[in-house]
Amino acid sequence: MSETDSSPAAAAAAQGRKPRRLRGHKKGAVTCCVASSSRPGVVASSGEDGCLCWFDLRTKDVLFTMEATNKPISSMCFKAGNEDLLYASAENEILSFDVRLGPQAKSLDTYNYNRDEINQIAVSSKGYLAAADDSGDVKIINTIQKCLYKRLREAHTTVYNSFLGDLGQFHLTAITGGLDSKLAVWDFSKGRTLFSIDYGSPEMQNGSSGGQCFNPPFVHSIAVSEEGILGGSYKVCAVARGDGAVDVVDLEYELAPAKSKGLPRMADLSLSSKITDIGDGCGSQSQRKRIHLDYTVGAFGEKGKFLVSGGNDSSVKLWDWSKGFSSEANSSAELVLDIKVNWLCTTPTDSDNLIVCDTSKVVKVYNLP
């Protein structure tokens, strides 16, 4: 993804191009996609047909298709640091596969610790797997010892997604978001929350469109930068909300000890296409800014500088969110796709860098400027 051209003019030129179409699924909608970081150009997708498809963007046809299950697949992910292992969830079950075996691969392991349908899974490089389900529970599974490690509960009434990773000094950390409008960061080794944000609370609604009943600030998706950005000072999480806003949270600040609280606090800032000083109701002089993005999916572009969001309004937007901390207006490039976005991901390449799953069985590939 290029850092040099994110202008509306470039976006207008890009939206006139027809997308590449990746065909491999038999029926139903494509539910999830993930781009390989160790194999540039390789993309995997899952669908309601229970299949996992592999594509190489340098070729025209699907590389191979795995018939993983006879149930719709809700989520999939590579194991962090070892993309030979892939995990997929179907209803309340999780399956693991060795992708080197290709279309003949059979499930290596099956986990059935969740009682309700799993919405999203995430696997860390240490082999811990987080599975968030409809009940509000998050199960942490040790895939090395093949046992249930921890059950995270009481922070959510329902959980939509999860992220698992190393956040600074907190090595066993999980992030969850749900349709209860809450974001929670956990120390899952102790089964407790480190901090949480309730986007539905009155104080979080101050100065915004509070009291919404048709589009509440449900947490639909979360994305975490893979490395420190803005000079290596920040590790951030983007939170895509059902009210059309995306918040950017400075995780390092929130998790840091008191001695580090002199750092600029990005958690006090949410981005806005209109730069306004709405205050925080506590006498703070810091300017709070907000960008109202399309809800459902958010992802990080190159070095975490850009955010990509897509939603049910059939548009995808590219945002340079770092400008929210300068006097410049936030710039965005918009692609009107005329499709309902189920899922999207970005690839670490300069072209064919946006992969979109819509409500069809065909994966779409676009070029973002």
Side-chain angles (χ1 to χ4, degrees):
M1 190 174 297
S2 172
E3 290 189 356
T4 60
D5 189 359
S6 59
S7 66
Q15 74 182 45
R17 303 172 187 169
K18 291 184 178 180
R20 285 186 59 185
R21 297 174 179 268
L22 305 180
R23 304 180 187 274
H25 290 279
K26 300 175 182 178
K27 59 182 179 180
V30 183
T31 55
C32 187
C33 60
V34 59
S36 171
S37 57
S38 63
R39 305 178 181 94
V42 173
V43 174
S45 65
S46 63
E48 292 179 343
D49 58 359
C51 291
L52 301 170
C53 294
W54 264 258
F55 304 94
D56 188 332
L57 299 181
R58 296 170 297 181
T59 63
K60 180 180 179 181
D61 300 320
V62 61
L63 291 179
F64 61 87
T65 299
M66 294 167 49
E67 296 183 359
T69 177
N70 58 2
K71 305 171 185 176
I73 296 175
S74 57
S75 178
M76 63 183 293
C77 65
F78 290 119
K79 179 181 178 180
N82 181 8
E83 294 185 352
D84 290 332
L85 293 180
L86 181 137
Y87 294 81
S89 62
E91 295 184 352
N92 66 336
E93 184 176 66
I94 302 169
L95 309 167
S96 67
F97 298 91
D98 186 336
V99 303
R100 293 171 295 184
L101 300 178
Q104 306 304 318
K106 303 298 180 182
S107 176
L108 300 176
D109 297 295
T110 303
Y111 303 101
N112 291 281
Y113 295 110
N114 292 78
R115 61 180 180 177
D116 285 343
E117 183 175 356
I118 297 169
N119 290 308
Q120 194 167 348
I121 58 175
V123 185
S124 74
S125 60
K126 304 292 186 182
Y128 291 102
L129 185 154
D133 65 33
D134 282 342
S135 71
D137 283 357
V138 178
K139 298 300 196 314
I140 304 294
I141 301 166
N142 186 326
T143 63
I144 306 300
Q145 299 183 1
K146 305 185 189 308
C147 64
L148 180 65
Y149 178 76
K150 199 73 73 174
R151 177 186 176 189
L152 309 181
R153 54 182 174 177
E154 298 179 357
H156 293 283
T157 55
T158 181
V159 179
Y160 192 81
N161 49 55
S162 60
F163 170 84
L164 201 62
D166 180 359
L167 303 176
Q169 66 270 45
F170 299 93
H171 299 289
L172 298 177
T173 310
I175 303 175
T176 59
L179 300 184
D180 55 1
S181 303
K182 293 180 181 178
L183 179 80
V185 178
W186 303 78
D187 177 349
F188 66 78
S189 65
K190 299 179 180 178
R192 64 179 178 86
T193 56
L194 298 171
F195 78 91
S196 62
I197 300 173
D198 184 355
Y199 291 108
S201 64
E203 54 268 27
M204 292 301 295
Q205 304 273 329
N206 181 35
S208 64
S209 52
Q212 288 182 311
C213 57
F214 294 108
N215 293 298
F218 295 159
V219 176
H220 284 278
S221 184
I222 53 179
V224 177
S225 60
E226 295 181 357
E227 59 184 31
I229 54 178
L230 294 183
S233 301
Y234 299 110
K235 184 116 177 180
V236 299
C237 173
V239 184
R241 295 166 23 180
D243 58 355
V246 170
D247 280 353
V248 178
V249 179
D250 179 4
L251 294 170
E252 293 288 356
Y253 176 86
E254 292 288 349
L255 297 172
K259 63 181 181 180
S260 66
K261 289 188 178 180
L263 292 173
R265 186 172 184 177
M266 286 171 43
D268 280 345
L269 304 177
S270 52
L271 308 179
S272 178
S273 56
K274 295 181 179 179
I275 298 182
T276 55
D277 187 355
I278 62 175
D280 61 3
C282 302
S284 171
Q285 298 301 312
S286 64
Q287 189 181 51
R288 301 186 65 183
K289 304 171 185 178
R290 177 162 297 168
I291 287 180
H292 290 288
L293 301 181
D294 307 307
Y295 60 88
T296 303
V297 179
F300 280 98
E302 182 180 359
K303 297 181 180 178
K305 181 179 180 181
F306 294 103
L307 274 172
V308 183
S309 66
N312 291 340
D313 61 353
S314 301
S315 70
V316 170
K317 294 183 180 180
L318 172 68
W319 301 88
D320 183 350
W321 63 268
S322 63
K323 290 185 178 180
F325 306 103
S326 70
S327 59
E328 301 178 61
N330 295 290
S331 64
S332 68
E334 181 174 350
L335 298 178
V336 180
L337 305 180
D338 196 26
I339 55 174
K340 179 180 177 181
V341 178
N342 275 346
W343 199 277
L344 62 76
C345 69
T346 56
T347 68
T349 56
D350 291 329
S351 62
D352 290 341
N353 48 18
L354 175 65
I355 316 299
V356 178
C357 302
D358 56 22
T359 55
S360 75
K361 63 181 181 181
V362 180
V363 179
K364 310 299 192 308
V365 184
Y366 295 86
N367 288 325
L368 277 180

